Amino acid sequence: MTSIRATNLTKRYGRTAAVADLSFAVEPGRVTGFLGPNGAGKSTTMRMLLGLDRPSDGSALVDGKPYQEWKHPLRKVGALLDAKAVHGGRSARNHLLAIAQSNAIPARRVEEVLETVGLREVARRRIGGFSLGMSQRLGIAAALLGDPETVIFDEPVNGLDPDGILWIRTFMRGLAAEGRAVFVSSHLMSEMAQTADHLVVIGKGRLIADTSVREFIGRSSQGYVRVRSPRLPEVAELVRVGELHPDHLRVTAMTPLEIGTLAARAGLPLEELTFVQPSLEAAYMELTKDSLEFSA
Amino acid sequence: MIDIIRSEWTKIRSVRSTVWTLAITALLMVGLGALLSGSAASSAEGPIDPVSATRISLNGIMLASMATATLGVLVISSEYRTGGIRTTLMAVPRRLKLLAGKIIVFTAVALAVSMAASLASFLIGQAILDGAALGDPGTVRAVTGTGLYLTACGLFGLALGALIRHTPGAIVSAVALILVLPPLTNGLPGRWGQVVRDHFTSNAGMELPFPSDANQLGPWSGFGVYLAWIAVVLVVAAVLMRRRDA
């Protein structure tokens, strides 16, 4: 059962297309990372999914219907786009209460979500005085009000301290473990590496990859073996195919066992012999290189 | 729809600007009414006729209309200013229903406060002037008309706020359309000048509480013309609201 399905989704502003012919699906029970450099069209796509922006072409469906056609959309989808986009003069409780009432969600649910995100103590305070971390939690509370099957977060860890980042990461994993579909955008590959199961990667508004994290890494350049030794130049000469760096040797064409065997035969001591997985970051940079070059 | 109304009620009652603008509306009505009544009472040579006495006690109407118009603007423009409109539209993606909810809640709140303020300033003013009673001809129309006019000015502000989506811009437009431009139409020459002047926003709207001999529209048709102005701006705002990206 697919939660969100974008089909040939397109958004044009004048002649430029912010999002072009984008098709992908978000499935329940996993975290789908929505990845792309800044300006790739992630937020525009999310706004179209949520009925805020009108697609120029194509469609975005939530459980088979456009978002706007759900009577109580917050019971289907909860979203956090911009945590600071709230009226600062309201208390956290009243802010959530107004949102809850609009979707016929009982008021006790407000207390529940305040508890869940740890804001119960400050429920009566004006939200204008909240820190970014607290605002982020308030935004998440609002997204959870309708107990939705799908949640959408736009760059949720931006600007947060390590504690806040860890909290959100754990939280998103928890939501997916409960069987919800979690769709989260980021421009940071390293962030996605730690949270996402599946990736939708876009660049310049176009789909670059729609794949599992593991496959995404596999698709890009291979890993390499890092060799350190007090007699590095001699090791380099022995291996021949390596790329010599000041403090280590980088070998792509041989396995650690082959290198170790060669070194042992020559009686050369090794300090380190590690197979280095290509990082998601590297895979991402390689795949989005083209779209970045065009925009530069 | 009832859900949206509940939600908008929570929103309007939970920000300070509502309390402030409504308090200022009441204060301007009652305060100015009492002040002018006091000075009229002390300078008058004889008894003041009921029609003049009623007008004096309700003289805060022009300034108070700016306070209700401001609240009307803020009801919608503050959401655009903070970006909270996106949260609102995610909860209520049917934009015309949202606009309708805002109109209903605002009208109810503004009408209650405006009517109460109008009645209070009349009663206090007449206690000072001893000029008119609610039983005098035209008095009830003047008092309720003041409340209706103030509410209509608030709706004008709301319509402009929805159209312009920018607080200062919408407030300036409201001041221009309600306060500044109407007197300027006096300079228009000829028969068509007269038609424009009679029908221009608050020139027509003020016919309800304070009909003037110079205006050929009657009280209720004048107010109807004013409501038509507001309706036109609201319709344009609604059409744009449906089409524009949030």
Side-chain angles (χ1 to χ4, degrees), chain A residues 134-257:
Chain A
M134 287 159 82
S135 301
Q136 214 76 323
R137 283 167 188 254
L138 181 66
I140 290 174
L144 296 177
L145 268 177
D147 196 15
E149 296 142 28
T150 305
V151 287
I152 296 181
F153 297 130
D154 193 10
E155 301 266 3
V157 302
N158 251 10
L160 290 187
D161 56 20
D163 275 356
I165 293 176
L166 185 64
W167 184 83
I168 289 202
R169 225 182 250 162
T170 315
F171 200 82
M172 288 191 299
R173 300 271 358 144
L175 291 173
E178 288 167 17
R180 299 177 214 263
V182 180
F183 189 48
V184 54
S185 78
S186 177
H187 63 282
L188 295 175
M189 189 75 221
S190 50
E191 182 52 40
M192 290 293 96
Q194 307 194 49
T195 338
D197 307 295
H198 194 83
L199 288 177
V200 173
V201 186
I202 65 170
K204 285 205 77 190
R206 289 178 184 279
L207 188 72
I208 292 177
D210 180 354
T211 171
S212 72
V213 173
R214 188 181 299 272
E215 252 180 72
F216 185 70
I217 297 173
R219 221 192 253 193
S220 75
S221 54
Q222 301 160 349
Y224 63 93
V225 181
R226 186 168 60 219
V227 189
R228 282 182 217 269
S229 165
R231 293 162 66 182
L232 197 60
E234 289 165 71
V235 177
E237 200 160 308
L238 188 69
V239 173
R240 285 181 188 202
V241 290
E243 183 186 319
L244 189 59
H245 291 256
D247 66 333
H248 73 278
L249 183 71
R250 199 178 271 225
V251 186
T252 44
M254 293 169 82
T255 64
L257 180 63

Side-chain angles (χ1 to χ4, degrees), chain A residues 11 50-54 67-69 72-74 79 85-87 89-90 94 98-99 101-104 126, chain B residues 3 6-7 10-11 13-16 78 81-84 86-87 89-95 242-243 245-246:
Chain A
K11 180 71 182 180
L50 295 165
L52 294 172
D53 286 8
R54 188 186 279 253
Y67 185 88
Q68 321 60 307
E69 286 179 21
H72 292 136
L74 296 187
V86 290
H87 196 302
R90 240 172 236 124
N94 278 331
I99 297 172
Q101 286 169 326
S102 67
N103 276 247
R126 290 167 37 123
Chain B
D3 303 330
R6 259 195 213 116
S7 162
T10 300
K11 279 198 216 163
R13 72 173 169 79
S14 62
V15 290
R16 288 182 193 167
S78 69
R81 177 176 58 79
T82 57
R86 285 196 286 276
T87 308
L89 288 176
M90 276 193 274
V92 186
R94 299 181 185 198
R95 301 183 181 186
R242 257 180 70 106
R243 288 183 19 193
D245 289 338

Side-chain angles (χ1 to χ4, degrees), chain B residues 72-192:
Chain B
V73 167
L74 286 176
V75 160
I76 192 143
S77 72
S78 69
E79 294 212 27
Y80 281 101
R81 177 176 58 79
T82 57
I85 189 70
R86 285 196 286 276
T87 308
T88 300
L89 288 176
M90 276 193 274
V92 186
R94 299 181 185 198
R95 301 183 181 186
L96 295 189
K97 276 196 163 186
L98 176 72
L99 187 61
K102 282 190 182 296
I103 290 171
I104 291 168
V105 170
F106 173 79
T107 305
V109 171
L111 193 62
V113 173
S114 302
M115 282 295 184
S118 173
L119 184 63
S121 37
F122 174 80
L123 294 176
I124 292 170
Q126 300 318 312
I128 298 168
L129 282 168
D130 197 18
L134 277 175
D136 292 332
T139 308
V140 168
R141 198 202 58 235
V143 173
T144 53
T146 298
L148 287 172
Y149 175 80
L150 289 175
T151 307
C153 289
L155 278 173
F156 209 169
L158 194 155
L160 290 166
L163 181 69
I164 298 169
R165 310 200 292 186
H166 181 249
T167 307
I171 290 179
V172 167
S173 315
V175 172
L177 282 166
I178 298 172
L179 227 50
V180 179
L181 293 177
L184 296 181
T185 58
N186 282 333
L188 294 173
R191 203 168 61 85
W192 280 105

